[in-house]
Amino acid sequence: MAIPVPIADRHEGARSELSDFATDVMPFAKKMGVTFPVFWDDGGKTAGTWKVATMPTGIVVNKKGALAYTQRGFVDGDEAALEKAITAALAEPAK
């Protein structure tokens, strides 16, 4: 799931995976003004690791590499919960 750009831009270390056809990802990200790292999950290994069963699914991984938050689906208004999860995960100590 793509983190909404305004949320990601406010959090150093936030990044997003845009799951679409590989040839469309970078042009789309550039068009949207994405400033955080974007990667393509070729073969779905990352989605499998984090048990992504629906699209979009947003995950927040803390500094220890553990799953801190999962959001399945995305509707207007979900930004607050996602931003709260990102803020909390980035505030945690790394060890």
Side-chain angles (χ1 to χ4, degrees):
M1 170 185 137
I3 299 171
V5 173
I7 294 175
D9 284 348
R10 288 194 299 266
H11 299 281
E12 183 179 339
R15 77 175 187 197
S16 176
E17 172 189 348
L18 303 175
S19 295
D20 208 331
F21 295 103
T23 57
D24 296 336
V25 171
M26 295 313 294
F28 175 78
K30 184 176 180 179
K31 178 181 174 185
M32 297 303 294
V34 171
T35 59
F36 46 86
V38 176
F39 70 98
W40 176 255
D41 186 17
D42 191 28
K45 183 177 178 183
T46 302
T49 297
W50 298 106
K51 298 176 177 48
V52 174
T54 61
M55 293 301 269
T57 294
I59 61 169
V60 176
V61 179
N62 65 21
K63 293 178 183 178
K64 297 175 186 174
L67 184 63
Y69 177 81
T70 301
Q71 180 174 318
R72 289 178 177 84
F74 194 83
V75 297
D76 287 341
D78 284 347
E79 298 90 347
L82 179 58
E83 185 156 11
K84 182 178 178 181
I86 292 169
T87 299
L90 291 174
E92 293 178 9
K95 295 189 182 209

